[in-house]
Amino acid sequence: MAIFPLPRPLVETNVRAALAEDLGDAGDITTLATIPAEARADAVIAARKPGIIAGTALAEAAFTLVDPALKVEIVTQDGGTVEPGTEVIRLSGPARAILTAERVALNYLGHLSGIATATGDLVRAVEGTGVLIVCTRKTTPGLRTLEKHAVKCGGGQNHRFGLYDAVMIKDNHIAAAGSIAGALQAAKAATGHMVKIEIEVDTLDQLGEVLEEGADVILLDNMSTEDMRKAVEVNAGRSILEASGNVTIDTVRAIAETGVDVISSGWITHSAPTLDLGLDWK
């Protein structure tokens, strides 16, 4: 699966905002006070725990935006696996720049690599089933594109990016619309042929109603594995079936083996632990 690079304008916009937040009006007063302007150094960012790397472009930008004279070599590309001690980025140049950019670079790299690692754990757990692991809109405000990139680095796929690129009819939409049939009919009338329509169901009875109307994707929300198996049988390949709810490393294989097509997880973006990476002087 191809991992496309993040657009440079997006990277720089995010990193400039992070640096501005960190530097404030006075800059890095600790480094300015203790490190001579002419001091140079070599350093390396390396993994302290095993995982999958994501966010190297943001880390690189953090250093080069602080000082373009800093040489940054990405040793482990996004999507690469690491073990404790594996080098990710090598740095050479003005010592002040390395110290000033260090935390912003590590924040992006650790957070996004944590998402990639958590995604990779789920992907490996369902290996051989043909099921796709996808993320959701449960992302950090302002970081959605970056976090969804990290999911791809971990071997997962992206669900819709926002409210604008696919129809997703949830339980509250159904309640407000008055019925499953009414919600689906209205969605089909309002959207063009290029827009996918997904609808959430909680029960097999609701699934039957959806299949009468037709939908591109049906989300099976918090169903038991037994009900998911029945849903796969009843669906008979008519719609893509997505399972969601109670997806953990312990449950994901059993969910995949029900025969669903997709498993979505909000946890991989909103609660994945940061991957432990560190910067050390050489």
Side-chain angles (χ1 to χ4, degrees):
M1 179 183 63
I3 301 172
F4 298 111
L6 289 165
R8 187 67 184 181
L10 175 70
V11 169
E12 290 200 4
T13 296
N14 277 272
V15 174
R16 286 183 190 279
L19 289 171
E21 176 184 61
D22 216 17
L23 292 167
D25 295 327
D28 181 0
I29 60 175
T30 305
T31 295
L32 292 172
T34 60
I35 308 300
E38 66 276 11
R40 298 182 65 81
D42 296 317
V44 63
I45 294 176
R48 293 174 176 167
K49 297 285 185 180
I52 300 174
I53 295 300
T56 54
L58 293 120
E60 178 185 27
F63 290 111
T64 56
L65 287 173
V66 168
D67 191 336
L70 193 59
K71 181 182 177 182
V72 182
E73 179 188 357
I74 298 174
V75 181
T76 304
Q77 299 291 333
D78 280 12
T81 58
V82 293
E83 297 295 331
T86 301
E87 292 187 352
V88 179
I89 294 176
R90 294 175 187 152
L91 303 160
S92 180
R96 282 183 173 181
I98 296 174
L99 292 165
T100 296
E102 174 183 1
R103 180 42 51 198
V104 167
L106 287 175
N107 282 350
Y108 278 121
L109 200 58
H111 175 58
L112 297 180
S113 296
I115 291 171
T117 300
T119 303
D121 289 342
L122 293 185
V123 170
R124 284 191 298 276
V126 303
E127 192 171 356
T129 65
V131 171
L132 297 178
I133 299 296
V134 305
C135 52
T136 71
R137 284 171 50 243
K138 295 177 181 177
T139 54
T140 308
L143 299 184
R144 179 170 295 167
T145 300
L146 307 182
E147 292 176 345
K148 283 183 174 283
H149 167 78
V151 168
K152 295 286 290 281
C153 292
Q157 294 284 358
N158 296 154
H159 208 280
R160 60 178 179 158
F161 266 71
L163 298 173
Y164 56 85
D165 58 338
V167 172
M168 176 70 187
I169 303 170
K170 299 177 74 66
D171 54 354
N172 286 334
H173 294 101
I174 295 169
S179 68
I180 285 174
L184 281 170
Q185 289 166 11
K188 291 175 183 178
T191 55
H193 69 288
M194 296 295 286
V195 178
K196 296 286 187 181
I197 297 175
E198 180 170 11
I199 187 166
E200 174 185 294
V201 301
D202 303 315
T203 67
L204 293 173
D205 287 342
Q206 288 181 325
L207 174 65
E209 291 183 62
V210 171
L211 291 175
E212 287 183 13
E213 292 294 331
D216 297 300
V217 186
I218 303 172
L219 188 149
L220 310 177
D221 185 43
N222 282 297
M223 281 191 179
S224 66
T225 53
E226 181 181 353
D227 279 353
M228 280 189 270
R229 288 191 190 94
K230 291 177 181 176
V232 170
E233 183 179 345
V234 171
N235 179 59
R238 284 176 281 181
S239 297
I240 294 171
L241 293 184
E242 174 186 337
S244 186
N246 193 33
V247 177
T248 69
I249 193 64
D250 296 319
T251 64
V252 70
R253 180 77 191 189
I255 295 172
E257 289 176 345
T258 64
V260 296
D261 304 293
V262 177
I263 298 174
S264 58
S265 168
W267 179 86
I268 55 177
T269 49
H270 68 62
S271 296
T274 296
L275 184 64
D276 191 2
L277 299 148
L279 184 151
D280 294 300
W281 244 228
K282 293 179 66 178

